[in-house]
Amino acid sequence: MAKNKLTFCCQHCGSLYPKWTGQCTDCGEWNSIVEEIRTAPATSSRYQGFAGKEAAMMRMAEVELEADIRLPSGSQELDRVLGGGIVPGSAILIGGDPGIGKSTILLQTVAHLSQGLKTLYVTGEESPQQVTLRARRLGLSQDHVWLLAETQIDVILTHLQKERPQVLVIDSIQTMHSSLLSSAPGSVGQVRESAMQLVNYAKQTGTALFLAGHVTKEGSLAGPRVLEHMVDTVLYFEGEQDNRYRMIRAVKNRFGAVNELGIFAMTDKGLKEVSHPSAIFLSRASHPIAGSIVTASKEGSRPLLVEVQALVDQSNMGNPRRLSVGLDTQRLSMLLAIMHRHTGISTHSMDVFMNVVGGLQISETAADLPVIFAILSSLRNRPLPHDLIVFGELGLAGEIRPVPGGQERLKEAAKHGFKTAVVPQGNATKKSLDGINIIPVRSLSEAVTCFDNDFEIATV
């Protein structure tokens, strides 16, 4: 006989409390604890191990390894982010803002995989007619894609046990609910329960599972944090809805590299992969302008050439502003302090604005030196050469440190016709690389001297 138990659950982290309290002591969120009634059957068999009903201990040397099978998704960019393709039995969580393209890319992937595999698209937000209309508008194959409009996880599992699809899409996990819990769909308990049962089924049967997830206003995936730990891969959509380009970044991947980036263009026929992304971010003005510089950013295993812009202007406020789009604002403040400390160039009475063209988010430290050069260019109203590329990490003592993948960055720059590169001493080569004049610098003072002398010398 089932028993009902009254508990209080934090909707942010999933912590349980015997009574209501204003603040969650685990995650620190206020007013996030709500009342839930949990139904616990006397004998529940909804959870089983991945190995089935019985698992046996064995030595690692006795484990039989199978060939690394990867299913092509139909998009080289998505396969790159996934680490080479879709692994059977893996659980993939895709999150992003509403309308950014989660359902579109899932429908495109299912339509491609349906040519050789049995696929099932479970929709909890739209009717089968709406999904079919989107597929027709995108020009996708519809003959072998099975649809199921259902939100109750018990009914879905019954269909899965009967039909045995090889690829399963749940759109979205926040709409799913289990009859074992009385809380509303989208709550922490329902999301955790539904995801756990679906992941268990995928592991036991070798089904490739895709979960579409909503995001909060802070940009993180809605639901409990444990949701990201259940799955094998977590992908995030980046980019604005009014921007044509979309970026998918892997923040967790058990079968590939993290921080790998896939770039797509949103068209009337769906998401199209962009094979040469550097050309997109380098659509610059026809003539050199002050405050603009190109840097080589390493996104996963691929270097990307992006344009960094700076605008330095006299401030009319008592507290000058430091704003950045695509860069860390706190790191920008630190770089301005380093520049003042080691070169005497002050921006205390000026507003400083930074922007990474194309909507790309740069989190690595190789953008430190380009940010300094862009600020100097805007401050002195001095345009930089169009064929100049700069990268390097800046330390608090004013030293310029080498960055990983220096050779790959220089080769990418040479491919796009750059002739001069200002790089850290540790990333410099002994001879010119593919026609690029490499200028090594060891400190910020050397870099500023190089800037003042039109990049002809690099030493004080």
Side-chain angles (χ1 to χ4, degrees):
M1 179 178 178
K3 297 181 180 179
N4 294 335
K5 182 179 180 181
L6 183 65
T7 60
F8 294 86
C9 180
C10 175
Q11 299 299 293
H12 189 264
C13 67
S15 300
L16 299 178
Y17 296 88
K19 62 180 181 179
W20 185 88
T21 180
Q23 183 185 26
C24 177
T25 57
D26 290 339
C27 65
E29 290 290 322
W30 287 89
N31 299 323
S32 63
I33 299 176
V34 298
E35 181 182 85
E36 288 187 357
I37 299 178
R38 295 172 175 264
T39 303
T43 58
S44 175
S45 60
R46 66 184 188 275
Y47 293 134
Q48 294 182 0
F50 296 161
K53 295 183 179 180
E54 184 178 354
M57 296 176 56
M58 64 180 66
R59 292 191 300 271
M60 186 180 296
E62 299 174 351
V63 177
E64 297 182 1
L65 299 179
E66 299 179 355
D68 186 13
I69 302 176
R70 301 272 183 162
L71 305 176
S73 64
S75 170
Q76 295 182 359
E77 289 295 303
L78 182 58
D79 289 342
R80 173 194 297 272
V81 177
L82 294 175
I86 304 169
V87 178
S90 63
I92 303 169
L93 178 62
I94 301 181
D97 295 330
I100 201 169
K102 300 186 298 296
S103 300
T104 299
I105 195 169
L106 289 176
L107 189 58
Q108 291 180 198
T109 303
V110 166
H112 174 78
L113 293 173
S114 66
Q115 304 303 314
L117 302 173
K118 187 172 184 179
T119 62
L120 176 61
Y121 190 101
V122 180
T123 171
E125 300 178 346
E126 300 175 295
S127 65
Q129 291 78 11
Q130 290 176 302
V131 178
T132 304
L133 284 175
R134 183 189 296 116
R136 290 180 180 177
R137 176 173 56 85
L138 300 178
L140 302 177
S141 174
Q142 309 159 42
D143 297 335
H144 305 289
V145 179
W146 291 84
L147 292 177
L148 175 63
E150 183 58 64
T151 59
Q152 188 170 350
I153 200 68
D154 308 308
V155 177
I156 295 174
L157 289 174
T158 301
H159 284 279
L160 295 179
Q161 295 292 346
K162 180 181 178 181
E163 301 296 336
R164 294 286 181 173
Q166 296 168 284
V167 180
L168 173 64
V169 173
I170 303 295
D171 188 10
S172 65
I173 187 60
Q174 277 79 16
T175 61
M176 300 295 128
H177 66 93
S178 173
S179 60
L180 299 173
L181 302 178
S182 60
S183 55
S187 61
V188 169
Q190 290 286 8
V191 172
R192 181 174 54 232
E193 177 73 20
S194 301
M196 179 60 74
Q197 294 196 44
L198 289 171
V199 171
N200 279 349
Y201 172 82
K203 297 296 183 181
Q204 293 172 10
T205 60
T207 303
L209 173 64
F210 288 90
L211 302 175
H214 299 166
V215 295
T216 62
K217 60 182 180 180
E218 291 83 11
S220 59
L221 283 165
R225 196 68 179 179
V226 70
L227 179 61
E228 300 185 27
H229 295 281
M230 293 180 186
V231 299
D232 301 305
T233 305
V234 179
L235 308 180
Y236 272 97
F237 261 99
E238 297 178 359
E240 302 296 334
Q241 294 185 16
D242 55 353
N243 190 359
R244 179 187 177 191
Y245 299 104
R246 306 285 195 270
M247 286 155 281
I248 300 181
R249 188 185 300 272
V251 297
K252 173 188 176 182
N253 193 356
R254 291 173 179 164
F255 308 108
V258 296
N259 286 329
E260 196 70 57
L261 191 69
I263 302 177
F264 299 84
M266 178 62 78
T267 66
D268 56 348
K269 295 298 182 181
L271 290 169
K272 303 297 182 181
E273 59 184 359
V274 178
S275 56
H276 300 287
S278 293
I280 297 174
F281 302 114
L282 290 182
S283 55
R284 310 171 67 188
S286 58
H287 59 280
I289 57 176
S292 174
I293 195 170
V294 175
T295 184
S297 174
K298 195 75 179 298
E299 299 294 337
S301 61
R302 174 174 57 184
L304 293 178
L305 302 185
V306 294
E307 180 185 357
V308 178
Q309 294 180 335
L311 176 61
V312 181
D313 195 15
Q314 192 68 34
S315 177
N316 296 323
M317 305 174 62
N319 186 18
R321 289 172 293 180
R322 306 285 188 259
L323 300 179
S324 63
V325 178
L327 295 165
D328 187 6
T329 304
Q330 294 183 351
R331 190 164 189 87
L332 172 61
S333 301
M334 183 189 72
L335 294 176
L336 293 174
I338 296 174
M339 183 175 67
H340 178 249
R341 175 66 177 83
H342 296 282
T343 65
I345 302 174
S346 175
T347 57
H348 292 164
S349 60
M350 298 181 179
D351 294 329
V352 180
F353 304 96
M354 298 297 305
N355 177 45
V356 179
V357 177
L360 188 67
Q361 296 287 333
I362 299 181
S363 58
E364 64 165 355
T365 57
D368 291 351
L369 190 56
V371 167
I372 295 294
F373 274 27
I375 292 173
L376 289 175
S377 175
S378 178
L379 180 63
R380 299 177 180 178
N381 195 24
R382 178 182 164 188
L384 296 173
H386 244 50
D387 58 354
L388 172 69
I389 188 167
V390 180
F391 60 85
E393 179 184 353
L394 188 59
L396 293 178
E399 78 280 11
I400 297 179
R401 299 174 176 270
V403 296
Q407 296 300 311
E408 290 82 359
R409 300 172 198 257
L410 291 173
K411 291 180 180 178
E412 182 72 13
K415 188 188 304 181
H416 289 81
F418 287 85
K419 302 300 181 182
T420 306
V422 179
V423 301
Q425 179 75 42
N427 292 125
T429 57
K430 295 182 179 179
K431 59 181 180 179
S432 297
L433 178 66
D434 294 331
I436 294 184
N437 180 27
I438 300 176
I439 303 177
V441 289
R442 296 169 294 180
S443 63
L444 182 58
S445 59
E446 286 189 6
V448 173
T449 302
C450 176
F451 179 93
D452 293 335
N453 289 277
D454 295 326
F455 307 99
E456 294 182 357
I457 58 173
T459 57
V460 181

